[in-house]
Amino acid sequence: MSDQPIEGWFTEVFDRHGSAIALKVQEKLLDITSEYQHLEVYQTETYGRLMVLDGCVMLTDRDNFLYHEMMTHPALLTHGAPRRVVIIGGGDCGTLKEVLKHERVEHVTQIDIDEEVTNAARQFFPALVERNDDPRAELLFEDGVKWVDACDDGSVDVLIIDSTDPVGPAEGLFKTDFLTRCHRILKPGGVMVQQSESPLYHTETIIKSLREDMSSAGFESVATLPFPQPTYPSGWWSCTMAGKGCDVTAFDPTTVRTEHLELEYYTPELHKAALTLPPFMKRHLG
């Protein structure tokens, strides 16, 4: 939820956790309600432009690279040789941009239900959409769950679930039956990754349930990687990977090179370190 207790500030309040994140804003650039959600864009004083969906911070110019790089490169480099990648969600196109940095990738399909998010990214976040015209990219605006249902068995190397919080349009992307369908469309050796909320706030709930559901869906290995994200609840976020016939916990940083990818946060060494969970997460996740 959001509130505006101080004039000139955008504030997202997390009542359940007794906390909030606020950014000083200079002006509102966009305020529309699409068929699916309320979309706003602000110019902030120190974080560049800010995108908000249904009152929740989606991204800022200043820190979006943290999320987009960690949602992309651990999964693709764990796989090792992905040719076909699918992104469910990701309408701001930042994850698509990162996927297309990998020359081995031959085709990327992005399916987001709300075209207005991509329209806003084109208008206000040009750096995120700079690879949209890559001939390997396919952008679809439809229901991602239905798209997965229609997808051929064993046809995808890496599946990225770049969703909003598990409410509203994204709620179905966190269900056990959906994860089972994701497992079906992955090739043997395939990897899926899903954003999995805050380690501090959601380890015992969303993260634990997601990991259990991935295992129930048939994935042989699961790994949660925490990373900093200053403008998300608690300032700390995570992604959770699952492997179909591969061990997503066994990444070897000495086998990959990333200099050509032009990255701001991700390194193979950081990836390996992120696989080592802090004691409180291990205790709750078992």
Side-chain angles (χ1 to χ4, degrees), residues 221-241:
S221 62
V222 177
T224 299
L225 287 72
F227 56 91
Q229 194 63 49
T231 55
Y232 284 4
S234 81
W236 200 21
W237 216 241
S238 70
C239 62
T240 296
M241 293 193 298

Side-chain angles (χ1 to χ4, degrees), residues 205-217:
T205 54
I206 294 171
I207 295 174
K208 183 177 177 65
S209 294
L210 179 60
R211 289 167 61 99
E212 291 173 350
D213 290 345
M214 285 174 161
S215 296
S216 297

